[in-house]
Amino acid sequence: MTGPDTDGAVVARRAHEIFAGRFDANVKRVDRMFIYLMAAQWLCAIALALWFSPYAWEGRIKTTHVHVLAAVVLGGLLSGMPIFLALVRPGAIGTRFVIAAAQMLWSGLLIHLMGGRIETHFHVFGSLAFLAFYRDWRVLVPATVVVAADHVVRQVFWPESVFGVLTPEAWRFLEHAFWVVFEDVFLVLSCLAGVKEMRGAAEQQARIEVSERREKELASTIQTSILPRTLAVEGLDVAAVMATATEVGGDYYEVLPVADGCWIGIGDVAGHGLPAGLVMLQTQSAVGALVGQDPTASPDHVLCGVNRVLYENIRKRLHHDEHVTMSLMRYHRDGRVVFAGAHEDIVVWRAATGTCETIATPGTWLGMTSDIRRATVNTACQLHPDDVMLLYTDGVTEAMDGKREQFGLARLCASLEEVARGTVEQIRDHLLARVRAWSPEQVDDITILVARYRDVDAVRVTTPRRSVPRFTAQSALDAI
Amino acid sequence: MRGKLLVGVVVLWAVAVVGGMAMLADYKYRPGARADEQPLWPADSKLARGRAVPTLVMFAHPKCTCTRASLTELAELMAEARGNVRAHVVFMKPSEQDGDWAHSDTWDQAREIRGVEVSIDVDAAEAHRFGAQTSGQVVLYGVDGRLLYAGGITSARGHVGTSIGHRRLLALLTHRATDAHTGNVYGCALAEREKDAPR
């Protein structure tokens, strides 16, 4: 179990990941905004030039005005590179630096095109505010440098254009730059506050995620730990595996040895995750209690009892809509198997013929209605020596490949026939490998239970394979 | 390698952009041809000269978009001079063009300036008398007919805002200065330049 210090480190690391992801998403979003702004500025500049100053004149002769050329060519350059970088290198700091510089140069070009109108100078301050959307104060540096450099160059070469005199004081450009820096101060503070807020939100999110993950891990540990520890049954070799798609699965299997055989259950709660896992726990508890109370009961009787418990808890108390498909069977030492409850078809590989047969499991879902007695019937089948009975959940047959084709019952039977003369562990592992090869990305819980009928004299004890860490007394204490 | 290439492209872009901005600035701040100044009010001028107040004449090309800024500055100057000047805005018009040719948006802008007389100057004859060559050229003559100022009224082509010419004119009109001055003028050429003529 991880302690508070370790948790703190995990939270800090996760908070940093979340913050970095959100910061990156934000700067990419603003990059995209500038793509549109740059394109719009270019089109506006061309329109302005064509509208206000399409031609220059020399007496009777007209030529295209330099403003038009500047709008098309220079404006194209100013917008082209930022758009290109925003498309090929979104989120890179160099991209937003180029965007910042280009945006301030756009102010200069628009001021030229608008004949130096004082109103156009507001573009400078609007652009700085727009750049602050990045929440990265560093982009204001190249923007401010461009404005200051523009004024320095003008002061040296064209002082009248910006100061109205031919010999301005050496510090005069600083007066103009000061007002830019004045706005910068507020924007930098705004950026820093925005980043601080993002970090706080990321840390809060990280705490929630870590807490939820630990709760799921705990629930998963408990759930998988209540699976049968040993599968020792007289006259039956049993091997099983349950691989959950999420930390908490909705699959269920049970092997409860009793005198003259055992009870075997297999089921699947609709959905998976924590709610499905909790329903699975209730199912396991109800089966254990009812079978323990009366080991000689018939499967349909036990199943109706389980249904009453689930209906009461899920529908009436929790007001949830989960339900369970489940087959519960009673195995007798003489190879007789009596079962009830709707689930996947039972596959029986007959040693005498070397082929599989499938047995339907009539019945209805558990937990949907208060009384399922009319729909629940007992069915019997006979196992002969060396016959193999295969139970599974829909995570096996409905596993899809890249073309969305399901693994299917026929492929499952064929896979069983390939290895049916091996040990039950070999059969279990072979089937699981086939399913995983068919569908490398597991989206549903997978449960496989393999049982081979032996003569009563040939009793073996095997242990189930677990896809999750074993639950021990020490781990239970740690979890608590 | 791709990173270095990208940096190289960005550097080239920066050079191109700075070069483009410099070329644009050079165009904007390069003055037009100065007037062939006439120290005395031309005797053959058809324009009426003020006898009690100085007379200001602006020569304009009706199609020159840069002249909008000159007229904007003239409007401000007229307001500041408070009637202490007689002003003309003379729009050139080629003789082969009809009267509407000169009636542009700058014509309307000039007519809206209070106290300004607006007239058409066929084939820029009046401009020739005053030696004006560039749209936006302003000349100011005192009541005695002597030239007080010749130059522009803006700081760049089509650029509004404070300028040396504007301030000198205002100083002359408000009697804070009496010395004659000349200055740069920014705008389109009033007439086609001869190929060999110096710019």
Side-chain angles (χ1 to χ4, degrees):
Chain A
M1 183 179 181
T2 52
D5 290 342
T6 313
D7 268 3
V10 171
V11 168
R13 190 166 58 246
R14 180 63 188 139
H16 180 73
E17 287 173 3
I18 294 171
F19 169 76
R22 290 180 179 173
F23 186 84
D24 186 59
N26 179 62
V27 295
K28 285 177 177 171
R29 181 178 61 84
V30 181
D31 280 347
R32 285 195 298 276
M33 288 167 61
F34 269 105
I35 289 175
Y36 296 111
L37 180 64
M38 288 288 168
Q41 285 176 150
W42 189 32
L43 295 176
C44 282
I46 293 171
L48 283 173
L50 290 173
W51 183 259
F52 287 111
S53 48
Y55 301 112
W57 288 78
E58 193 175 300
R60 297 168 177 80
I61 303 169
K62 68 178 178 183
T63 55
T64 302
H65 200 288
V66 166
H67 280 182
V68 176
L69 299 176
V72 173
V73 179
L74 188 54
L77 278 173
L78 280 180
S79 287
M81 180 57 73
I83 289 174
F84 171 71
L85 290 178
L87 289 173
V88 301
R89 296 287 298 273
I93 189 167
T95 298
R96 50 188 184 273
F97 274 26
V98 168
I99 286 174
Q103 184 60 21
M104 304 321 289
L105 288 168
W106 257 116
S107 296
L109 180 56
L110 288 173
I111 289 169
H112 273 303
L113 299 181
M114 292 299 291
R117 290 174 66 85
I118 194 71
E119 292 83 354
T120 317
H121 289 70
F122 289 116
H123 187 274
V124 175
F125 300 101
S127 296
L128 288 171
F130 212 150
L131 289 170
F133 283 12
Y134 278 115
R135 295 189 178 186
D136 181 359
W137 63 268
R138 293 172 297 180
V139 298
L140 299 171
V141 175
T144 305
V145 167
V146 166
V147 174
D150 175 76
H151 282 73
V152 169
V153 169
R154 283 166 182 270
Q155 177 159 338
V156 172
F157 295 103
W158 307 289
E160 191 187 355
S161 71
V162 63
F163 303 115
V165 294
L166 286 175
T167 53
E169 299 85 348
W171 51 265
R172 193 69 190 277
F173 78 94
L174 290 174
E175 182 183 348
H176 289 239
F178 167 79
W179 292 109
V180 173
V181 173
F182 180 74
E183 185 181 356
D184 282 347
V185 169
F186 296 101
L187 295 177
V188 167
L189 290 175
S190 167
C191 288
L192 293 175
V195 167
K196 187 179 178 183
E197 187 181 319
M198 285 175 74
R199 285 191 189 281
E203 188 174 327
Q204 196 173 13
Q205 176 70 24
R207 286 188 189 287
I208 292 170
E209 283 184 14
V210 169
S211 173
E212 285 180 345
R213 191 181 308 156
R214 288 185 54 72
E215 284 178 13
K216 285 181 179 176
E217 286 170 357
L218 180 61
S220 176
T221 303
I222 293 171
Q223 180 198 2
T224 53
S225 298
I226 61 163
L227 293 175
R229 196 61 51 86
T230 61
L231 304 175
V233 179
E234 221 175 353
L236 212 57
D237 292 346
V238 182
V241 62
M242 185 171 87
T244 55
T246 58
E247 289 89 341
V248 186
D251 276 11
Y252 159 79
Y253 77 88
E254 182 65 280
V255 178
L256 291 169
V258 294
D260 186 36
C262 72
W263 285 88
I264 299 174
I266 187 160
D268 182 8
V269 181
H272 48 87
L274 193 56
L278 291 173
V279 173
M280 180 272 201
L281 280 172
Q282 294 176 48
T283 307
Q284 189 273 343
S285 301
V287 170
L290 291 169
V291 169
Q293 189 180 31
D294 183 7
T296 61
S298 65
D300 64 333
H301 182 75
V302 175
L303 214 55
C304 290
V306 172
N307 176 69
R308 277 195 299 276
V309 171
L310 293 179
Y311 180 78
E312 175 70 18
N313 285 349
I314 298 171
R315 299 278 158 177
K316 298 184 75 174
R317 298 191 182 186
L318 293 174
H319 299 292
H320 281 199
D321 58 359
E322 283 88 3
H323 56 272
V324 182
T325 61
M326 179 180 173
S327 290
L328 186 63
M329 51 198 73
R330 174 73 163 86
Y331 155 74
H332 298 269
R333 285 176 59 189
D334 58 3
R336 198 160 41 90
V337 176
V338 180
F339 62 90
H343 191 59
E344 304 294 326
D345 288 356
I346 298 169
V347 177
V348 177
W349 177 81
R350 297 296 184 187
T353 61
T355 58
C356 290
E357 65 182 60
T358 57
I359 303 169
T361 55
T364 187
W365 297 338
L366 308 186
M368 294 287 284
T369 59
S370 59
D371 189 351
I372 59 169
R373 280 178 294 182
R374 291 183 62 186
T376 306
V377 295
N378 288 321
T379 308
C381 75
Q382 181 67 46
L383 295 178
H384 304 289
D386 286 334
D387 282 358
V388 175
M389 182 172 69
L390 171 62
L391 308 177
Y392 54 90
T393 54
D394 59 358
V396 174
T397 49
E398 294 177 5
M400 290 190 189
D401 67 357
K403 299 172 184 172
R404 302 190 61 78
E405 183 182 350
Q406 293 187 346
F407 188 69
L409 184 56
R411 203 169 274 108
L412 178 63
C413 291
S415 301
L416 173 59
E417 288 169 0
E418 290 168 1
V419 71
R421 295 193 188 280
T423 64
V424 287
E425 290 83 1
Q426 288 171 335
I427 297 171
R428 173 196 66 191
D429 294 345
H430 177 76
L431 296 179
L432 183 62
R434 278 297 170 97
V435 174
R436 284 185 163 161
W438 183 261
S439 178
E441 190 177 343
Q442 184 182 342
V443 295
D444 197 3
D445 305 331
I446 292 173
T447 298
I448 296 172
L449 189 149
V450 184
R452 183 190 298 281
Y453 177 60
R454 297 283 193 192
D455 289 337
V456 175
D457 296 336
V459 177
R460 287 189 56 203
V461 176
T462 62
T463 55
R465 178 180 156 187
R466 292 163 190 274
S467 62
V468 292
R470 288 182 59 125
F471 187 71
T472 63
Q474 185 58 49
S475 64
L477 287 172
D478 287 346
I480 294 164
Chain B
M1 186 61 193
R2 275 189 66 189
K4 284 183 179 176
L5 181 66
L6 202 57
V7 170
V9 170
V10 170
V11 169
L12 282 176
W13 169 80
V15 170
V17 164
V18 170
M21 295 296 280
M23 288 170 67
L24 179 60
D26 177 64
Y27 170 81
K28 298 276 286 190
Y29 303 127
R30 192 192 315 139
R34 280 198 172 204
D36 181 12
E37 297 151 14
Q38 304 298 307
L40 296 174
W41 183 271
D44 53 349
S45 172
K46 303 288 190 295
L47 298 174
R49 182 161 64 87
R51 300 300 172 185
V53 292
T55 305
L56 181 150
V57 183
M58 177 184 281
F59 297 95
H61 191 300
K63 307 289 188 185
C64 173
T65 55
C66 317
T67 303
R68 290 194 198 108
S70 298
L71 290 168
T72 300
E73 292 302 312
L74 178 63
E76 192 171 328
L77 183 70
M78 292 299 290
E80 291 165 336
R82 298 170 185 236
N84 194 30
V85 64
R86 179 165 191 175
H88 298 271
V89 175
V90 179
F91 284 96
M92 65 81 69
K93 182 186 82 68
S95 54
E96 68 273 17
Q97 300 289 350
D98 61 23
D100 285 344
W101 191 83
H103 291 161
S104 61
D105 63 324
T106 46
W107 170 276
D108 296 335
Q109 187 183 357
R111 285 179 60 90
E112 287 175 6
I113 303 173
R114 194 169 180 184
V116 167
E117 298 166 51
V118 181
S119 58
I120 287 178
D121 181 18
V122 177
D123 286 337
E126 200 68 55
H128 286 306
R129 290 183 194 110
F130 284 85
Q133 299 186 56
T134 303
S135 182
Q137 174 73 52
V138 172
V139 290
L140 179 70
Y141 286 87
V143 293
D144 56 358
R146 287 189 302 111
L147 179 67
L148 292 176
Y149 177 79
I153 200 172
T154 62
S155 61
R157 281 190 82 139
H159 205 91
V160 293
T162 183
S163 68
I164 296 168
H166 183 118
R167 284 189 287 141
R168 282 179 179 166
L169 279 168
L170 184 60
L172 289 165
L173 294 176
T174 54
H175 308 296
R176 285 185 283 112
T178 54
D179 297 339
H181 290 287
T182 59
N184 291 329
V185 58
Y186 301 91
C188 300
L190 289 170
E192 300 84 10
R193 292 193 190 91
E194 293 177 20
K195 282 187 178 176
D196 298 332
R199 293 190 67 181

